[in-house]
Amino acid sequence: MATEDNKSEPPSPAPASSSSPSADPSPSSSPSPSPASGVQARATALLGRPKLWLLPTVLTGLLALLLSLLYMGGIVSPNRDLHELPIGIVNADRGAALPGQKENLGAQITQAIVTDTSNGDKADWRRLSLTQAQDELDSGKLYGALVVPDGFTASVAALTGADATARPALTVLTNPGKGSLGSSLASQITTQAAHQASQTIGKQLTANAKGVNATTKLLLADPVTVTPQVGHPIGTHSGLGLSTFYYTLLLVLAGFLGGNVINNGVDTSLGYADNEIGPWHTRRRTVPITRTQTLLLKMGMTAGITLLSVSLIMIATVGILGMDADHLPLLWLYSYCATLAVGLGVQAINAAFGGIGQLVSMFVFIVLGLPSSGATVPLQAVPDFYRFLSVFEPMRQLGDGVRAILYFDARGDAGLARAWIMIAVGAALALIFGFAMARYYDRKGLERLTPHEA
């Protein structure tokens, strides 16, 4: 009988030239091991195989090392890495010079601060008028400013009088819209410069002061006080300048995670991947489709689903949590385009790299993007490597646009114009790269591995 022959002899393979459907093995017709047909492997035995450990151990170790170096390397020492932080310096003093001096104290102070090299190149001092400084604070070009007020020389000269009681003031303007750390660094630099200027002036005054009492001499030794003031205020529901970073991170994560979910969902639905949820396992019938058409499908779904995800992000952050945000239609449009550009990039990378595409896109959009975004630590306070990454890394480009919309009245010169350009460039590169790789694979006949039909 046929059943007896099958028991005594192994089944012969089908001829290689056969093209009939019956020649293709299927889960119902091909022999498969079962618990009763052989001994099953045990985990304790497999743990003793070095080859089983090699690849996961190496990859996990490398990932841990790279993540540690990349993340901590960008924030571990901002003061050490600080170079040329843009800070304005304003001389609004129009008073006459003190006797025996060519310039008033305002001109002397600003000149001394700009030419001081004791702190290296930590600050990029920019001589501006008060109007220019305010405009650059409002456009996010400055992290802060030091202002010598009008009448400063006259108020210092009055200290030598018998009734001197009030100390003249220098004003330190902060810009919380540039982030709490960046604004703090600028405030530290300007405050230190103001105190040094006060001590220099004090030495001049005490040297020339004669016949004054001890209280006046003490006042003359450090005659200037420093008054901090917010140069460009932001809302109280802005996370102290951090809402830009977290909102941008939401957009990037929505594009990254959404793109990968869509990628896996489409592959499962088309029968190119298994679907396992707990103990349940399903596999759909394979749909014949080219790589190019598959990528087109995934990108089309990304464009559609992103409409929902971005809308929900705005409902949650602005509507429910009350995040300060103006220009809501523009914010929604920008958020959609930014998230879509990330999603298209994820699909292109997955189409090109296959199974490791998710890991590659994680490095492109998350791992390298976070420390080079300039959202938490100013780019002037990170190592050169991260400043190089910031030229093209997506999170920095997207963050500049979000910051401009949320904090700087959606001004183009606050970073919004460049952000729009980089979004367009990123989306175009994703489309070109993704479809070029997919068509290349199709022309070479490199079809995707087709699993057996269920």
Side-chain angles (χ1 to χ4, degrees):
M1 294 178 63
T3 55
E4 294 176 349
D5 293 338
N6 288 339
K7 291 180 181 178
S8 60
E9 297 180 4
S12 59
S17 60
S18 174
S19 60
S20 63
S22 61
D24 294 332
S26 64
S28 59
S29 60
S30 60
S32 58
S34 63
S37 61
V39 179
Q40 290 188 332
R42 298 183 64 85
T44 52
L46 295 176
L47 285 173
R49 296 186 178 183
K51 290 184 178 180
L52 190 65
W53 287 78
L54 181 60
L55 184 60
T57 302
V58 171
L59 290 180
T60 302
L62 285 176
L63 284 175
L65 178 63
L66 286 174
L67 289 176
S68 301
L69 292 175
L70 289 171
Y71 282 153
M72 297 303 295
I75 58 92
V76 71
S77 184
N79 283 303
R80 179 198 64 192
D81 298 317
L82 184 61
H83 298 288
E84 298 184 349
L85 190 71
I87 302 175
I89 185 166
V90 177
N91 177 24
D93 186 12
R94 298 295 177 263
L98 295 175
Q101 299 183 2
K102 296 180 180 180
E103 296 179 314
N104 63 25
L105 292 178
Q108 294 180 41
I109 289 174
T110 54
Q111 178 64 22
I113 291 175
V114 171
T115 58
D116 182 25
T117 59
S118 61
N119 290 323
D121 61 346
K122 291 185 180 298
D124 176 19
W125 293 103
R126 302 179 180 180
R127 298 192 195 217
L128 303 167
S129 67
L130 188 58
T131 302
Q132 291 172 331
Q134 188 61 58
D135 182 70
E136 295 206 3
L137 287 169
D138 292 340
S139 62
K141 296 177 182 177
L142 295 177
Y143 283 84
L146 178 63
V147 179
V148 182
D150 189 17
F152 179 76
T153 301
S155 62
V156 172
L159 292 176
T160 58
D163 299 328
T165 56
R167 299 170 67 189
L170 295 176
T171 303
V172 170
L173 299 178
T174 61
N175 194 352
K178 295 294 288 182
S180 56
L181 180 58
S183 181
S184 175
L185 289 172
S187 180
Q188 292 175 19
I189 293 172
T190 50
T191 300
Q192 181 181 359
H195 284 307
Q196 289 178 348
S198 176
Q199 293 172 3
T200 301
I201 295 172
K203 291 178 181 179
Q204 298 176 6
L205 293 177
T206 53
N208 298 326
K210 296 180 180 180
V212 296
N213 56 39
T215 303
T216 303
K217 284 186 177 181
L218 185 61
L219 183 63
L220 293 178
D222 189 10
V224 179
T225 186
V226 179
T227 303
Q229 182 178 326
V230 178
H232 179 80
I234 59 176
T236 57
H237 293 82
S238 298
L240 300 177
L242 289 176
S243 60
T244 290
F245 167 69
Y246 286 101
Y247 188 86
T248 304
L249 182 60
L250 283 174
L251 300 183
V252 173
L253 287 176
F256 171 75
L257 296 176
N260 283 310
V261 168
I262 292 170
N263 177 74
N264 295 333
V266 169
D267 284 347
T268 299
S269 298
L270 298 181
Y272 290 91
D274 292 354
N275 182 31
E276 289 190 72
I277 301 177
W280 295 281
H281 169 266
T282 58
R283 176 179 292 178
R284 295 180 179 273
R285 185 178 298 274
T286 303
V287 177
I289 187 171
T290 64
R291 291 176 180 265
T292 302
Q293 290 299 312
T294 302
L295 179 59
L296 182 61
L297 172 62
K298 292 176 180 178
M299 287 190 168
M301 292 181 63
T302 300
I305 294 176
T306 300
L307 292 169
L308 174 63
S309 59
V310 166
S311 299
L312 292 176
I313 287 174
M314 286 195 62
I315 289 173
T317 56
V318 180
I320 299 176
L321 299 177
M323 181 185 75
D324 289 320
D326 295 325
H327 311 284
L328 293 182
L330 175 61
L331 179 61
W332 183 91
L333 178 62
Y334 179 87
S335 301
Y336 174 75
C337 294
T339 305
L340 178 60
V342 174
L344 295 179
V346 169
Q347 302 298 4
I349 291 173
N350 286 338
F353 293 95
I356 65 170
Q358 295 184 17
L359 186 61
V360 174
S361 59
M362 182 186 74
F363 266 85
V364 171
F365 294 106
I366 307 296
V367 175
L368 297 178
L370 285 171
S372 64
S373 65
T376 54
V377 179
L379 293 175
Q380 293 82 4
V382 297
D384 293 338
F385 172 69
Y386 298 94
R387 282 196 286 272
F388 167 74
L389 289 178
S390 70
V391 175
F392 54 86
E393 263 298 316
M395 191 172 291
R396 185 271 170 109
Q397 326 306 328
L398 304 185
D400 284 352
V402 172
R403 187 185 301 277
I405 295 173
L406 293 183
Y407 299 156
F408 299 114
D409 199 29
R411 291 179 53 162
D413 60 348
L416 183 57
R418 184 178 185 276
W420 276 120
I421 293 173
M422 296 304 289
I423 287 175
V425 171
L429 288 176
L431 292 171
I432 293 171
F433 175 69
F435 283 108
M437 294 303 297
R439 288 180 61 84
Y440 171 78
Y441 293 151
D442 286 338
R443 288 196 304 269
K444 290 292 184 179
L446 303 174
E447 299 180 357
R448 302 183 69 187
L449 178 63
T450 304
H452 302 315
E453 293 184 357

